[in-house]
Every structure is written in structure tokens, then in C-alpha cells.
Amino acid sequence: MNEWKVQLIPQEQRESYATLISMEWRTFLFEDETELFAVNSDETPCGALLARMMNGRYEVVSLYVEEPYRQQGIGRNLLSAARRSAMEKEYGMLDVCYRVPLDQSEAYMRFFLQQGFTMPREQLCYYYAPIDRLAKTQLATYPPVNEKISAHIFPVSRIPDADARVSYSFILSRLPVGMRAENAPGTLLDDYSLCYVENKNVIAFVIFSEWEERVHLHSVYVDSPSAGRALVALMREAYELLCREQDRFSGFSTMVVNMKSYRLAEALLLGAEPEKHCVYQAQKPLTYSVPLLPEWGGVLARSNALYDALAATGGTVSLYARPDMQPYLTWQPQADMELELFYYVKNEDYTAFSLVAQQRLDTPLEQVALHKQEMEEDPGPASLVPDTDNQSLALVAVQLEGADFVPQQTIEGFLQPFIRQAKRLRASIERTVNNRKTTNAGD
């Protein structure tokens, strides 16, 4: 396997790597609070990683390797370079955020798990359709807005009635900041961003922007299910505008962040056969080399306190302490379950500790997608991560604790919910195994 050299690219040289950066992040390529790592083959860019530092986070937002160079370790080397940079800057976590087509999500999930990240969690879904396909949607079959309804529709930036403007401002104060027009990606489309006013109140609005040659639906609001008719009128009015200048845009796009917006996007684009990409996020804790002493003694003291508390609750507890390794505990709350518990000192004054709880699972890494829905529908304090062998899975959770050990907080507030989550996941794994046995027997 080739040894690929990763380079940190200065801002004045980044233009050559723009095509290797995800389209939605190219505008950040020359920002000060970003880092670009790249790999070249015979002076030709073949892989790149863009990371940004914001709000106390070091986040990988784009990672791409050209097709002929994949499966050669380039992606892994780029991530390693980002990890080293994050550690040099004393970040505690390496975050990743990536967007992939639905049919590739499992492969990406497996890749990040193999690199030691938590199981990627789906954050939102991105839809795209060529502009000419909108004519195939149900929206195109609705009758044009008549004069009576049109009298209720105004651009959100030019609402004529003062009371209605107050109503719109009040709505915005209760919604996430990201839904506002000024936070739409690209350039706001003023004539497309419309609201529906009824009895001097805004009962619905839509925000559109022009983003990378496409018309982008940024946000949608209706104040009640009965206002759905108003939303249809706004969307139809925007569609009429779009039909008059189709050559202006190459496509239509939108992002969804919850089930309501998902259903709306599916209904709007039914018939257009849109492309779907999901955005995922995952994290990897960054561990630092620290002297075993005197930290060893601090961890031992804290582990002893936890040992006594666990022994009082029942089950089997064991404390392992040798001078050449950090002390840790194993706890069997029941005969068929064993938890591994590790303490780490978070500061020199021993006023902050982190407790890591781990449950190894008898399921291969390849089956992580089977348990993804189970984890999202019935969450707990833990995440799925690769086990030390990078072949199987483990359930891992972390709790931060103060200088004083509080048994109730640690056992009832952290470990008991962890155990309940582990039981649910193990039951899901057992059902999967049994279903496969039944299927194989039927064959």
C-alpha cells in the first residue's frame, strides 16, 4: 500500500483543491478558521479534507478522495492529520459532518466506525430535482392563484400592514434562528419568499434563496393544520414565478430536519423523482498521553469510591489495579452482562473526572445499520462504537463528574439508564440472529 503524504495547504494555494470540496462548503474554503489537508499524486490533487474550528468544536465538514485512489488509505491518513491538528489545539473531540446518497450511507457509516467514531447519527435529509421535473409534481396540477387569494399574499420583506408585520416578527421570535430569511444559504429570493396574511396575522410563509444556480426552499411555516390551504397558495405562487424564468435555475433543492418537513418535501416532490442525500454527524473522543502518576492514584481513589457504591447495589464487582496500567472496574449487574468502567482525571486539581461505561456486544461491525433505527427510536446515554478489534461493536457512554463522588447521580442517573439501553439493544441483536436462523432454516 502506498504511503501517502498529507500536506496542510495554505490559503493562497487552496484554489487548486476546490473541486475536491463538497459544493456546500466551498464558500468556506478561504475562511481563517478552517484547515485544508490534501494528498497529491504526481502533483495532481487526489484527496482533500476541510475542517473548521467554531464554537469550541473542531469539525471535519468535507472529505473526498478521487475514484482511482480510493481503498488505498488516503481517507484514513487525512482523518489522522485532522485528529493530530485538533489535539495540538487541545480540542477534546473530533467531529465529522458529511452528506451522502442514501445508497452509500452504510459504507460511509462503516468507514467512520472503523476509524473509531461514534455511530453516525442522521441529522437531516437533502433533496434535489432538476428544474424541469417540477412540472411532473402534484403542485403543477393545482389551479393558479386567483385574485381573491392573491390579495392575501405578500413578500415577507414588504408586508404592508403594521399589525401583520408585528405578527411575523412574533412568529420569528419563537422559531429557530436558522429559519429566518437572513440565514438562507446563497442569495435571498425576495419575490419568491412570501407570506399569507389573514385578519392582520401571518398564518403561513415560505423562504426561498438562489443557491449555486438552483432555487432552494429554505424554510416553511404554517400556524395550524387549517392553514395548509395558505401554504399551498404560497407554493403555487412561487411555482408560477418559477415557470416564468425556468432558464434562471438548474434545479430545485430543500433540506428537511424533522418528520413534518420530511412529509412536506415528499408531498411537494412526488413525481419529480428527486435525488436524496442524508447528512450525518459523528464524533471521536481525543485521548492524550499523560503520566500514570500521580494520576494513577487519583483514578484509584475514585474507582474505590465507585466500587463501594456498586457493591452495595448487588451484583459482582471487580477492581483491577496494577502500577503499569490505569485502574478500572468490571461490574456484573446480572449474570449475562458485564460492564467495563474506566475513570479519567480531567484536570490537575482532581476536581473533574470522566467515567466511561462500556458493554461489548456480540455482533459484527457490518451489522451496525441493522441496529441504527433501534438506537434512534429508543435512545439512551450511550453510542455504538467499534470495539478494540475494529471488527465488532461496543456500547459506550461517558459521564462527567465533579470533585465529589455522588453515588445516586452515577448509578441511578447514569449506569442504570445505560444498562436499560444495553438490554434493549441486546434484545434487538437476539431478534436479528433468530430471524436469520429462521430464514436459513426455511431455505
Side-chain angles (χ1 to χ4, degrees):
M1 182 176 293
N2 293 325
E3 289 296 329
W4 298 100
K5 181 180 179 181
V6 177
Q7 297 175 295
L8 178 62
I9 308 300
Q11 287 186 343
E12 62 272 15
Q13 299 177 17
R14 293 184 180 183
E15 184 65 39
S16 301
Y17 300 88
T19 57
L20 299 180
I21 303 302
S22 299
M23 187 174 293
E24 65 267 31
W25 292 105
R26 288 178 190 171
T27 55
F28 292 81
L29 187 56
F30 302 98
E31 296 284 334
D32 289 337
E33 297 302 315
T34 61
E35 289 187 324
L36 178 67
F37 297 94
V39 169
N40 296 320
S41 175
D42 296 328
E43 300 184 0
T44 300
C46 60
L49 178 151
L50 181 67
R52 67 171 180 172
M53 293 152 282
M54 185 177 292
N55 300 325
R57 299 175 64 199
Y58 189 98
E59 184 178 36
V60 175
V61 294
S62 179
L63 174 61
Y64 180 80
V65 178
E66 293 280 20
E67 185 75 35
Y69 301 97
R70 293 177 184 174
Q71 304 299 322
Q72 299 181 40
I74 293 178
R76 183 177 66 251
N77 288 353
L78 288 168
L79 275 176
S80 295
R83 177 182 61 81
R84 288 192 297 270
S85 180
M87 292 180 68
E88 289 171 1
K89 297 173 178 60
E90 298 186 351
Y91 286 91
M93 194 76 68
L94 178 62
D95 293 87
V96 295
C97 175
Y98 64 94
R99 190 183 82 191
V100 294
L102 292 182
D103 59 355
Q104 297 180 25
S105 62
E106 187 171 340
Y108 274 78
M109 183 182 299
R110 188 158 51 246
F111 169 77
F112 282 107
L113 285 171
Q114 289 170 339
Q115 307 312 311
F117 285 83
T118 59
M119 185 181 76
R121 293 183 179 273
E122 184 178 325
Q123 298 298 309
L124 52 86
C125 191
Y126 172 87
Y127 289 78
Y128 171 81
I131 204 71
D132 55 357
R133 289 189 192 170
L134 295 185
K136 301 178 181 180
T137 64
Q138 186 176 358
L139 181 63
T141 67
Y142 293 146
V145 174
N146 59 40
E147 291 185 6
K148 181 178 179 181
I149 294 177
S150 182
H152 293 270
I153 297 176
F154 305 94
V156 294
S157 61
R158 301 193 300 274
I159 303 174
D161 185 83
D163 289 339
R165 291 197 297 271
V166 171
S167 168
Y168 180 64
S169 298
F170 178 70
I171 291 169
L172 293 182
S173 70
R174 297 185 293 120
L175 295 177
V177 174
M179 291 185 65
R180 297 179 182 176
E182 61 266 26
N183 292 313
T187 304
L188 180 70
L189 289 172
D190 189 65
D191 291 338
Y192 287 74
S193 300
L194 306 170
C195 65
Y196 194 101
V197 178
E198 187 172 81
N199 297 325
K200 297 187 175 184
N201 288 307
V202 172
I203 63 172
F205 70 74
V206 292
I207 304 296
F208 285 90
S209 64
E210 184 174 0
W211 186 29
E212 295 173 346
E213 300 182 350
R214 58 188 182 269
V215 58
H216 180 75
L217 178 57
H218 171 62
S219 59
V220 172
Y221 168 81
V222 288
D223 72 348
S224 66
S226 61
R229 56 181 174 76
L231 176 60
V232 170
L234 295 177
M235 292 299 302
R236 177 64 199 196
E237 186 73 4
Y239 179 75
E240 289 292 319
L241 289 170
L242 186 59
C243 288
R244 292 197 288 269
E245 50 181 14
Q246 282 198 34
D247 294 341
R248 179 178 176 182
F249 307 105
S250 63
F252 174 93
S253 63
T254 190
M255 290 186 182
V256 302
V257 296
N258 54 39
M259 188 54 65
K260 284 185 178 179
S261 55
Y262 173 82
R263 287 196 293 264
L264 175 62
E266 290 283 324
L268 283 176
L269 296 174
L270 181 65
E273 300 180 356
E275 300 174 15
K276 299 180 185 178
H277 291 70
C278 281
V279 177
Y280 294 91
Q281 290 185 336
Q283 295 181 315
K284 179 177 182 177
L286 300 177
T287 56
Y288 298 81
S289 297
V290 294
L292 291 180
L293 293 174
E295 183 179 341
W296 189 94
V299 170
L300 179 61
R302 190 58 164 237
S303 298
N304 273 320
L306 179 58
Y307 179 96
D308 292 339
L310 292 175
T313 66
T316 302
V317 190
S318 300
L319 174 62
Y320 299 86
R322 297 201 309 264
D324 60 338
M325 62 180 291
Q326 290 284 55
Y328 71 97
L329 298 115
T330 61
W331 179 37
Q332 287 185 286
Q334 58 190 52
D336 62 344
M337 178 182 290
E338 181 176 88
L339 275 62
E340 297 172 340
L341 306 172
F342 306 84
Y343 266 116
Y344 296 93
V345 178
K346 300 294 290 182
N347 62 5
E348 295 179 356
D349 299 325
Y350 299 99
T351 58
F353 294 81
S354 63
L355 174 61
V356 179
Q358 175 173 292
Q359 164 72 58
R360 299 177 188 273
L361 301 171
D362 185 21
T363 186
L365 193 65
E366 288 74 15
Q367 293 185 7
V368 63
L370 299 176
H371 312 303
K372 176 176 180 292
Q373 185 174 0
E374 176 85 17
M375 294 283 291
E376 292 181 350
E377 292 181 353
D378 194 6
S383 300
L384 278 173
V385 301
D387 206 344
T388 52
D389 59 5
N390 269 343
Q391 300 297 320
S392 57
L393 291 167
L395 194 65
V396 177
V398 180
Q399 172 176 269
L400 296 179
E401 299 181 359
D404 297 325
F405 176 70
V406 183
Q408 184 176 8
Q409 173 185 323
T410 298
I411 297 176
E412 297 180 15
F414 175 62
L415 293 179
Q416 294 293 357
F418 178 89
I419 291 170
R420 290 193 290 270
Q421 185 182 11
K423 288 181 178 179
R424 295 194 298 268
L425 188 56
R426 288 173 54 171
S428 172
I429 292 170
E430 186 175 345
R431 287 195 299 271
T432 300
V433 173
N434 290 338
N435 289 340
R436 287 191 170 186
K437 288 181 179 178
T438 303
T439 302
N440 291 339
D443 294 341

